[in-house]
């Protein structure tokens, strides 16, 4: 009876949701805004995530990890009181291939052999058919660790530490230089010298990470799981298992968010699951992390500290930017060099300045490695520069908008990396539009008035202007050499074959839409094939805001090739109906002609980049933005509330405006979290201490206020119809805009985030004491 | 296998409790705290469940000439929407409205919030400030106790074995009174309090404070009041109140700590500011 009630209710609920969905979609559907191809299955809960996959005879798995912040494992002792024959046990000795996670460098072990660098490194993998037995087993293994005497968790401590993790404790040391900073410093009229700190940040995708591995009867090792980069996983498996690629198959399951967090770590989990599967006698092995484990061990945003001197003349023209930018890379190199490179290139902002020096270093500490997270190094350096811009404007007694107006790049200017800007430069336009739609000057006057009255709060308005380059940095796209296939079928259906993943961001819809548009077919005739490395070519990782722009362009090109092929070989006329398209496909199939076309990456013409000197054109396209935050601070408690947020960006072309808007709103919310709430706390061994959603605080809908998104489309980007990447852009601006608004409201300098009430209270109290 | 029992009368629940050893049952009402705890404490032995959600008596709100009797199983949604609660005990409507978020308030009960005995309980400060008392049922019938005596130590209550909290009694606030409630959470919703402050002042025609009662969350091992400050304020007019003495009294009465949500320093400073602000409202 009770069951009937529950299922009856669910059916009702499902019907209700479907009604709403149809109604809503019916209202907004037009050619540019088709409904998301993955939307309904996610609303109804029928999408199958890795943990939902039901398996027969499954082996559950868990990971025993190191406890100290680096050291040596002397002995692993398995308590004989437990019958270990029931368990699958994997240690470093069981690795058939190389014991190293394949990435930029082979420095990170898949499993600790003896020496380790941080707490939480995988040491022993256990498999058993009963999850409860795994918990029991963990308490019956004793590890004798000799901990490292002096682990380091701070960037500057790591640089001065006596015992280094790697030589100098520096993974990478880059220099971007233009003009002569030292000389210009001697002539300077006004400057500031400040030190900025940004914290780590957890991606907090909805779906924790997990993998399923099975060694099939045919000898193929198959991995299914949540990931951004199937070919990274494939390469890692090849190196670790020693199996050749034709015996490896990687399949992406529905991925519930990633934000960069599923760029490198899925390779680790996949290797772990694979090693267990190799010993599991053909049974599937399921290794899915609980939320707490995911938060403690998987990579997060790099913490940073920036020493920054910024100088201008009395007229408000920037004279020099001098930055010492350092990010905490954690205990292994992983992706830190590329995160650093993006941080360095974005550090001077979208400004014209003759003298620039940015030294960037990625530092080794005993934290778990930090990794990719939306923005990828840029939010850190942009935060420092943009907050410093306001501090310098205040010193010049100049309005921050006016100060920026004087310095933002224009077409024909030489960029910080020495590239002459062509027509695709809209920094000024974005600023003016943001000032206009936010009614910046009116709001500023209102707030001044408000702050003079005896209200319980003070208000401020702040802005940030910035640009974000889409795609891999410099020659990265050239090295990736991405390839996309389009496979038409006899029934007129077309499949897109690429390795880029839908992970919640809308890629499946966008790519299908691009193909449908190029082929002049309805979207239901196009299908994005499941990301399975035995079927799809390597079109590169799903990172760096590159999917729509770089891969989308390949899809568009392949679609045009397919049309050409059908016209020349299949007798398709220039004007065709959907049925005629299908007929042409059928004719091709019947005459045994292949219906497969491919497109490969071609770098844009003026794309010259010197990766040693950091000169030339770093990205084929930059998106330009100006963000404005209006905040209110409680005078008693120092709680900050966002009153309004305006996000204006020039993004070339919005393939699907609603998805773009969603991306921007989502990024702004993550940026609000970065600015005000998200405070990764470390325990005494350098592992995230607030590993639950009750104490790692992200903003809710009650915290964010209205967000106004304005899209400017000038059509000059490298993607389809001039589209540019937008995924990461919205992460760069909110933190500095919000901090600048707070600085203005409280008339004090702030040099770190998150700006929690505790920080403001401390600053206010110490200011009171010093007065 | 664990057992799930769902009695329909308070007496039945008491009798079930009395037949079993202490802690045999995990008592559950709305479940918003215990379900989470159950999931997180993996090594805990599974206990049988005693579900109070089918007892109609616990769901009742009764407003009478002396005040209000709120059944322990009344949900926070029901409280925040109740017209008379809004009118006569606005701090309680307010604290119910900032507990968790709407879905939590739909399940969570006032009794559950008190018996979970978190020092950060959102509704505790308000009940302390209003001078609430509790109706507790046991094998020998029921007894009434001051809510102020309910929390005895960190997460320990005065409930004896086989006793159940069945209702909360709150008197009408005095005719001339001023009350203020403020929660400072980690964010605007779904937040655990860094500090929660409730203050209720009874004043006379000359605006002299006849009685001042406070309740504070998250500044000690239990939800606490400010006896030193209350004593100092009694019989004073606003102009006679010395901010330094109030602050000293607060420092004496509370014991804030640094934890994962906030710092002792912030909690002390914020409590002092909010209490001082509340006192200003007496004028």
């Amino acid at each position: 009876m009770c069951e009937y009630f529950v299922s009856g209710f669910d059916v009702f609920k499902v019907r209700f949701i479907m009604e709403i969905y149809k109604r809503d979609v019916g209202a907004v559907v037009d050619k540019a805004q088709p409904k998301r191809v993955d939307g309904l299955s996610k609303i109804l809960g029928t999408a199958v995530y890795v943990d939902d996959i039901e398996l027969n005879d499954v082996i559950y798995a868990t990971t025993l990890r190191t406890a100290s912040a680096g050291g040596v494992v002397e002995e692993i002792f398995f308590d004989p009181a437990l019958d270990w024959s029931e368990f699958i046990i994997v240690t470093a000795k069981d690795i058939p291939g190389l014991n190293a996670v394949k990435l930029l460098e082979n420095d990170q072990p898949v499993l600790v052999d003896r020496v380790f660098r941080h707490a939480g490194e995988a040491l022993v993998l256990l498999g058993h058919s009963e999850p409860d037995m795994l918990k029991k087993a963990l308490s019956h293994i004793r590890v004798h660790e000799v901990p490292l005497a002096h682990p380091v968790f701070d960037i500057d401590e790591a640089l001065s530490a006596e015992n280094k993790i790697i030589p100098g404790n520096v993974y990478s040391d880059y220099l971007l230089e233009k003009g002569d900073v030292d000389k210009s410093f001697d002539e300077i009229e006004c400057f500031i010298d400040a030190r900025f700190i940004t914290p780590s940040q957890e991606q907090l995708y909805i779906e924790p990470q997990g993998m399923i591995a099975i060694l099939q009867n045919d000898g193929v090792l198959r991995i299914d799981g949540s990931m951004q980069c199937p070919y990274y996983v494939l390469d890692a498996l090849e190196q670790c298992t020693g199996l050749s690629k034709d015996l490896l198959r990687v399949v992406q399951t529905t991925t519930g968010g990633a934000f960069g967090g599923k760029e490198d770590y899925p390779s680790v989990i996949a290797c772990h699951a694979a090693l267990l599967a190799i010993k599991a006698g053909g049974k599937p092995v399921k290794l899915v992390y609980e939320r707490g484990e995911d938060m403690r061990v998987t990579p997060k945003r790099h913490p940073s500290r920036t020493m920054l001197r910024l100088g201008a003349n009395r007229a408000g023209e920037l004279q020099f930017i001098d930055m010492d930018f350092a990010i905490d890379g954690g205990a292994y190199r992983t992706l830190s060099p590329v995160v650093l490179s993006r941080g360095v290139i974005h550090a001077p902002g979208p400004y014209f300045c003759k003298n620039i020096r940015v030294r960037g270093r990625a530092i080794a500490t005993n934290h778990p490695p930090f990794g990719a997270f939306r923005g990828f190094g840029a939010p850190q350096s942009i935060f420092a520069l943009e907050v410093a811009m306001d501090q310098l404007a205040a010193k010049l007694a100049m309005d921050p908008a006016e100060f920026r107006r004087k310095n933002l790049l224009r077409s024909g200017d030489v960029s910080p990396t020495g590239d002459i800007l062509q027509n695709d430069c809209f920094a000024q336009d974005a600023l003016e539009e943001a000032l206009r739609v936010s009614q910046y000057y009116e709001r500023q006057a209102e707030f001044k008035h408000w702050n003079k009255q005896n209200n319980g709060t003070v208000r401020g308005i702040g802005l940030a202007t910035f640009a974000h380059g889409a795609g891999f940095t410099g020659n990265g796209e050239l090295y990736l050499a991405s390839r996309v296939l389009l496979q038409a079928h006899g029934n007129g259906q077309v499949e897109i074959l690429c390795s880029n993943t839908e992970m919640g961001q809308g890629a499946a819809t966008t790519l299908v839409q691009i193909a449908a548009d190029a082929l002049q077919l309805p979207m239901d005739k196009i299908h994005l094939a499941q990301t399975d490395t035995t079927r799809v070519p390597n079109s590169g990782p799903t990172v760096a805001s590159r999917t729509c722009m770089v891969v989308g362009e390949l899809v568009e090109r392949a679609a045009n090739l397919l049309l050409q092929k059908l016209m020349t070989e299949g007798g398709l006329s220039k004007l065709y109906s959907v049925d005629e398209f299908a007929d042409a496909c059928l004719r091709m199939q019947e005459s045994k002609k292949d219906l497969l076309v491919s497109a490969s990456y071609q770098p844009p013409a003026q794309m010259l980049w010197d990766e040693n000197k950091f000169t030339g054109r770093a990205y084929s396209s930059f998106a330009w933005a100006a963000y404005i935050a209006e905040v209110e601070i409680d005078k008693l408690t120092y709680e900050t509330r966002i009153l309004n947020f305006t996000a204006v960006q020039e993004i070339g072309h919005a393939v699907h405006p609603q998805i773009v808007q969603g991306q921007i709103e989502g990024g702004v919310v993550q940026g609000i979290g970065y600015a005000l709430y998200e405070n990764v706390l470390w325990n005494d061994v350098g592992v995230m201490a607030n590993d639950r959603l009750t104490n790692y605080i992200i903003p809710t809908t009650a915290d964010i206020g209205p967000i106004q998104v304005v899209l400017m489309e000038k059509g000059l980007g490298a993607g389809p119809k001039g589209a540019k990447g937008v995924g990461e852009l919205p992460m760069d601006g909110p933190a500095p805009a919000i901090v600048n608004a707070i600085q203005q409201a409280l008339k004090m300098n702030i040099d770190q985030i998150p700006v929690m009430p505790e920080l403001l209270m401390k600053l206010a109290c110490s200011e009171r004491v010093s007065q | 296998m664990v057992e799930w029992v769902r009695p329909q009368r308070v007496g039945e629940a008491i009798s079930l409790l009395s037949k079993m050893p202490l802690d045999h049952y995990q008592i559950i009402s709305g479940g918003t705290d215990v379900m989470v705890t159950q999931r997180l404490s993996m090594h805990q032995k599974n206990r049988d469940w005693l579900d109070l959600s089918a007892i109609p008596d616990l769901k009742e709100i009764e407003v009478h000439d002396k005040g209000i009797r709120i059944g322990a199983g009344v949900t926070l949604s029901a409280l925040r929407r109740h017209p008379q609660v809004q009118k006569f005990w606005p701090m309680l409507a307010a604290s119910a409205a900032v507990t968790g978020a709407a879905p939590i308030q739909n399940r969570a009960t006032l009794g559950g919030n008190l018996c979970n005995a978190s020092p950060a309980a959102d509704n505790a400060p308000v009940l302390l400030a209003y001078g609430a008392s509790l109706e507790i049922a046991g094998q020998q019938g029921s007894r009434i106790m001051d809510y102020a005596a309910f929390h005895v130590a960190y997460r320990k209550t005065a409930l004896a074995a086989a006793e159940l909290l069945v209702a909360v009694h709150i008197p009408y606030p005095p005719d001339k009174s001023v009350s203020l409630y403020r929660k400072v959470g980690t964010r605007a919703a779904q937040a655990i309090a860094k500090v929660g402050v409730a203050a209720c002042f009874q004043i006379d025609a000359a605006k002299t404070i006849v009685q001042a009662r406070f309740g504070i969350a998250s500044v000690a091992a239990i939800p606490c009041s400010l006896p030193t400050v209350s004593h100092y304020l009694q019989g004073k007019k606003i102009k006679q109140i010395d901010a330094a003495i109030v602050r000293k009294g607060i420092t004496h009465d509370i014991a804030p700590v640094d934890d994962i949500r906030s710092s002792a320093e912030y909690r002390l400073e914020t409590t002092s500011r909010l209490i001082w602000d509340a006192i200003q409202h007496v004028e």
Side-chain angles (χ1 to χ4, degrees):
Chain A
M1 191 64 198
C2 185
E3 268 179 26
Y4 173 76
F5 174 76
V6 169
S7 65
F9 174 74
D10 276 352
V11 167
F12 168 74
K13 194 166 65 179
V14 165
R15 279 205 196 121
F16 179 67
I17 291 169
M18 282 179 76
E19 281 307 312
I20 292 178
Y21 187 73
K22 277 186 206 151
R23 227 184 304 152
D24 254 26
V25 169
V28 297
V29 155
D30 58 38
K31 195 166 179 328
Q33 309 253 56
K35 67 177 179 184
R36 281 183 63 140
V37 297
D38 56 338
L40 199 56
S41 70
K42 284 173 179 171
I43 291 172
L44 297 180
T46 55
V48 178
Y49 295 84
V50 64
D51 201 29
D52 301 328
I53 295 173
E54 286 184 22
L55 300 154
N56 290 326
D57 227 2
V58 60
I59 301 289
Y60 295 96
T62 193
T63 313
L64 179 75
R65 299 175 184 280
T66 55
S68 322
V72 176
V73 173
E74 293 289 359
E75 197 194 353
I76 306 170
F77 178 77
F78 292 85
D79 183 355
L82 204 66
D83 179 7
W84 293 98
S85 67
E86 292 176 12
F87 290 87
I88 299 166
I89 303 171
V90 171
T91 65
K93 289 170 192 63
D94 299 299
I95 297 175
L98 192 63
N99 183 9
V101 183
K102 185 168 173 71
L103 214 58
L104 299 173
E105 190 183 309
N106 280 329
D107 61 340
Q108 184 181 19
V110 174
L111 290 170
V112 170
D113 186 16
R114 229 178 83 77
V115 182
F116 63 100
R117 296 182 184 175
H118 68 85
E121 276 192 63
L123 181 62
V124 181
L125 304 169
L126 293 174
H128 196 281
S129 55
E130 298 290 329
D132 285 347
M133 288 300 289
L134 292 173
K135 283 173 207 157
K136 194 171 171 187
L138 285 176
S139 61
H140 283 78
I141 302 176
R142 280 201 301 281
V143 180
H144 178 209
E145 283 179 14
V146 179
L148 199 65
H150 302 289
V152 286
F153 304 116
D154 173 82
I155 287 169
D156 290 304
E157 275 171 31
L159 284 170
S160 62
E162 225 167 276
N163 300 307
K164 301 280 202 270
I165 302 160
I166 57 163
N169 272 351
V170 177
Y171 292 120
S172 300
D173 191 342
Y174 298 143
L175 185 66
L176 183 159
E177 206 164 18
K178 180 187 173 193
D180 190 335
V181 166
D182 292 324
K183 190 158 162 273
S184 69
F185 186 71
D186 296 337
E187 300 156 7
I188 201 64
E189 291 172 5
C190 184
F191 80 101
I192 59 147
D193 189 341
R195 184 175 187 272
F196 296 95
I197 302 285
T198 64
S200 187
Q201 188 183 19
E202 161 64 32
Q203 292 89 354
L204 220 67
Y205 27 74
I206 294 177
E207 180 209 20
Q209 305 218 23
M211 292 285 166
I212 292 167
I214 184 167
L215 186 59
Q216 299 172 170
N217 289 336
D218 59 3
V220 170
L221 182 65
R222 176 177 167 156
I223 301 284
D224 288 71
S226 185
M227 66 185 81
Q228 286 177 246
C229 314
Y231 274 89
Y232 284 8
V233 173
L234 185 73
D235 289 345
L237 286 168
E238 182 189 34
Q239 173 167 298
C240 165
T241 63
L243 292 170
S244 64
K245 276 184 182 158
D246 55 347
L247 290 175
L248 292 165
R249 180 177 181 188
V250 178
V251 181
Q252 182 223 359
T253 52
T254 308
T255 298
F259 308 108
K262 294 174 184 171
E263 177 167 352
D264 63 349
Y265 207 82
S267 298
V268 176
I269 307 176
C271 287
H272 290 169
L275 292 168
L276 285 158
I278 288 170
K279 294 178 86 173
K283 289 181 180 176
V285 173
K286 196 173 201 177
L287 180 53
V288 178
Y289 287 179
E290 295 265 335
R291 176 67 67 189
E293 183 175 28
D294 190 301
M295 288 173 85
R296 288 189 300 275
V297 309
T298 68
K300 304 172 212 322
R301 187 182 302 287
H302 290 71
S304 79
R305 78 99 180 91
T306 305
M307 266 124 46
L308 174 56
R309 293 188 310 167
L310 203 60
N313 59 23
R314 285 282 159 213
E317 290 161 342
L318 273 178
Q319 298 299 297
F320 69 81
I321 298 170
D322 187 13
M323 256 176 158
D324 178 337
F325 174 61
I327 60 172
D328 181 347
Y332 295 101
R333 187 179 300 263
T334 62
L335 294 162
S336 291
V338 259
V339 171
L340 177 68
S341 132
R342 189 174 277 271
V344 166
I345 293 165
H346 285 77
Y351 302 111
F352 176 73
C353 183
K354 282 181 186 150
N355 306 294
I356 298 172
R357 179 169 59 202
V358 182
R359 185 189 187 186
R361 282 174 290 180
I363 309 298
T365 68
N366 294 102
H367 281 301
F370 295 97
F373 188 167
R374 197 177 207 166
F376 209 69
Q380 290 94 317
S381 59
I382 288 174
F383 172 77
L385 181 76
E386 281 302 295
V387 176
M389 284 293 284
D390 266 40
Q391 294 179 359
L392 183 56
K395 209 168 174 184
L396 287 161
M398 190 175 276
D399 180 76
E402 182 55 25
F403 182 44
R404 283 177 174 79
R405 196 179 272 136
K406 279 181 188 289
N407 292 290
L408 283 170
L409 288 164
R410 293 176 168 83
S411 294
D413 280 346
V414 179
S415 82
T417 56
D419 182 37
I420 298 168
L421 286 152
Q422 310 295 319
N423 292 333
D424 186 8
C425 177
F426 301 103
Q428 299 276 359
D429 306 61
L431 173 64
E432 297 307 330
E433 182 66 0
L435 295 175
R436 189 183 68 79
V437 299
S438 67
Q439 298 182 294
Y440 176 82
Y441 293 105
E442 292 91 325
R443 302 295 276 168
Q444 209 176 40
E446 275 170 38
F447 289 176
K448 261 185 195 154
H449 181 66
W450 174 272
N451 293 347
K452 275 184 199 143
Q453 291 172 314
N454 192 23
N455 291 305
T457 62
V458 286
R459 293 177 172 177
I461 184 164
L463 70 140
T465 44
F466 55 100
H468 197 101
F472 264 35
T473 301
N475 308 317
E477 291 292 341
L478 198 62
Y479 303 146
L480 276 179
S482 300
R483 204 161 70 91
V484 161
L485 298 175
L486 239 53
Q487 171 78 64
H489 297 278
N491 59 2
Q493 291 276 339
V494 179
E495 258 187 311
I496 303 170
L497 298 154
C498 72
S499 64
N500 295 91
T501 56
E502 170 63 58
M503 52 201 190
Q505 86 280 41
T509 309
T510 305
L511 293 177
V512 165
Q513 198 186 348
I514 290 167
D517 207 28
L519 294 170
Q520 294 294 307
L521 292 175
M523 277 179 66
D524 61 5
K525 298 288 170 199
I526 322 280
H527 175 67
L528 184 70
Q530 182 168 37
T531 317
D532 174 340
T533 55
T534 60
R535 278 204 78 208
V536 301
N538 190 352
S539 54
T542 312
V543 302
S545 314
R546 64 184 295 277
T547 302
C548 174
M549 187 180 86
V550 178
V551 183
E553 194 272 336
L554 295 179
V555 168
E556 189 180 46
R557 203 136 43 80
N560 290 330
L561 289 172
L562 180 63
L563 278 185
Q564 267 174 31
K565 195 179 176 87
L566 286 169
M567 285 173 188
T568 52
E569 298 172 40
L572 186 67
S573 58
K574 280 240 183 293
L575 287 170
Y576 56 89
S577 67
V578 176
D579 290 341
E580 284 163 355
F581 181 89
D583 292 344
C585 289
L586 190 62
R587 279 197 296 279
M588 293 275 286
Q589 193 188 48
E590 280 167 350
S591 55
K592 303 226 160 18
K593 286 179 185 159
D594 87 87
L595 282 162
L596 189 70
V597 292
S598 94
S600 300
Y601 178 77
Q602 311 284 337
Q606 298 145 322
M607 187 72 199
L608 289 169
W609 175 249
D610 184 330
E611 57 198 14
N612 295 314
K613 291 185 180 158
F614 278 70
T615 53
R617 178 176 292 189
Y619 302 96
S620 60
S621 301
F622 278 94
W624 309 91
Y627 282 11
I628 295 183
E630 295 162 47
V631 306
E632 177 170 63
I633 301 134
D634 189 293
K635 287 200 271 197
L636 287 175
T637 63
Y638 283 104
E639 293 165 283
T640 301
R641 193 164 73 90
I642 308 285
L643 296 171
N644 273 303
F645 199 95
T646 305
V648 173
Q649 44 270 305
E650 194 289 312
I651 53 152
H653 165 69
V655 173
H656 191 301
Q658 204 176 33
I659 287 179
V660 173
Q661 184 175 341
Q663 279 287 307
I664 288 161
E665 286 172 355
V668 167
V669 174
Q670 265 175 334
I672 292 172
Y674 192 42
L676 296 177
Y677 300 99
E678 300 188 36
N679 193 24
V680 174
L681 299 170
W682 306 107
N683 66 16
D684 56 354
V685 290
V687 170
M688 186 178 190
N690 45 343
D691 58 353
R692 294 185 197 173
L693 285 135
T694 61
N695 49 35
Y696 183 71
I697 304 299
I698 61 167
T700 68
T701 47
D703 298 284
I704 54 180
I707 300 169
Q708 184 176 199
V709 176
V710 178
L711 304 179
M712 298 171 75
E713 301 177 69
K714 306 284 190 182
L716 297 176
K721 295 186 182 163
K724 300 171 178 177
V726 294
E728 295 166 290
L729 177 84
M731 189 71 225
D732 295 341
I738 290 165
V739 168
N740 286 340
I742 297 172
Q743 292 193 130
Q744 191 193 72
L746 294 175
K747 298 187 174 64
M748 58 167 71
N749 284 348
I750 291 162
D751 53 15
Q752 68 185 87
I753 44 173
V755 187
M756 297 180 66
E758 286 80 357
L759 173 71
L760 291 179
M761 186 76 87
K762 191 178 262 183
L763 289 173
C765 290
S766 65
E767 201 163 79
R768 215 165 44 203
V769 169
S770 69
Q771 279 167 0
Chain B
M1 274 304 261
V2 294
E3 200 187 350
W4 185 288
V5 289
R6 199 160 183 252
Q8 307 210 345
R9 288 194 315 278
V10 171
E12 216 179 308
I14 301 283
S15 130
L16 281 163
L17 282 172
S18 61
K19 280 181 200 140
M20 288 294 181
L22 189 69
D23 285 344
H24 173 85
Y25 286 111
Q26 169 64 59
I27 298 173
I28 181 166
S29 184
T32 54
D33 284 310
V34 295
M35 294 304 283
V36 177
T37 315
Q38 183 79 5
R39 174 96 178 133
L40 288 175
S41 53
M42 296 182 298
H43 300 290
Q44 204 180 23
K45 186 181 161 284
N46 287 334
R47 292 153 74 185
D48 285 347
W49 294 91
L50 177 62
D51 178 1
L52 304 180
S53 64
I55 304 176
D57 288 354
L58 297 181
K59 302 273 176 203
E60 277 170 21
I61 298 180
E62 186 197 341
V63 182
H64 49 80
D65 58 350
K66 294 209 177 69
I68 189 168
R69 179 187 183 274
I70 302 164
V74 169
T75 65
L76 300 175
S77 296
L79 271 183
R80 72 178 283 192
R81 292 203 189 107
H82 197 277
Q84 278 149 307
V85 172
Q86 288 172 353
K87 186 173 174 194
F88 297 111
W89 298 276
M91 290 202 293
L92 184 59
S95 63
V98 295
T99 307
I104 300 276
Q105 291 156 20
N106 288 339
R107 291 204 60 87
T109 62
L110 183 61
N113 194 224
L114 304 184
C115 292
N116 182 54
S118 161
D122 287 318
N123 300 286
V126 164
L127 297 183
L128 288 168
Y130 279 139
S133 55
L134 305 181
E135 183 182 333
I136 292 165
Q139 280 174 283
Q140 268 73 51
S142 28
R143 62 181 176 122
I144 300 281
M145 77 179 296
D146 267 358
Y147 175 55
F150 184 65
H151 297 290
V152 293
Y154 178 69
R155 293 209 167 239
K156 285 255 179 315
T157 70
L159 283 177
E163 277 193 327
L164 276 181
L165 171 64
V166 293
V168 177
H169 293 259
I170 315 176
Y172 285 108
D175 274 352
K176 283 197 179 302
S177 69
V178 173
S179 66
L180 266 121
Y181 170 72
R182 175 87 188 260
K183 172 183 176 178
V184 181
T186 49
R187 60 186 157 205
Q190 293 287 25
I192 296 174
K194 292 175 176 178
V195 176
V197 169
C200 188
F201 304 95
Q202 184 186 352
I203 48 179
D204 65 14
K207 295 215 170 162
T208 303
I209 295 174
V210 178
Q211 189 187 44
R213 216 162 19 203
F214 302 99
I216 329 261
S218 296
V219 293
I222 58 172
C224 69
S225 52
L226 299 176
T228 312
V229 181
S230 290
H231 181 75
Y232 169 69
L233 293 176
Q234 198 173 339
K236 291 211 168 47
K237 287 185 195 299
I238 285 280
K239 287 188 196 101
Q240 302 170 307
I241 300 169
D242 181 338
I245 296 178
V246 172
R247 184 174 274 256
K248 210 175 151 192
I250 292 167
T251 312
H252 178 269
D253 288 345
I254 69 174
V257 293
D258 288 332
D259 68 9
I260 212 149
R261 269 176 284 280
S262 189
S263 64
E265 193 188 354
Y266 179 79
R267 289 181 157 123
L268 174 61
E269 184 65 31
T270 305
T271 305
S272 304
R273 285 160 165 255
L274 291 174
I275 295 292
W276 184 249
D277 181 62
I279 292 169
Q280 304 312 303
H281 280 78
V282 169
E283 273 269 293

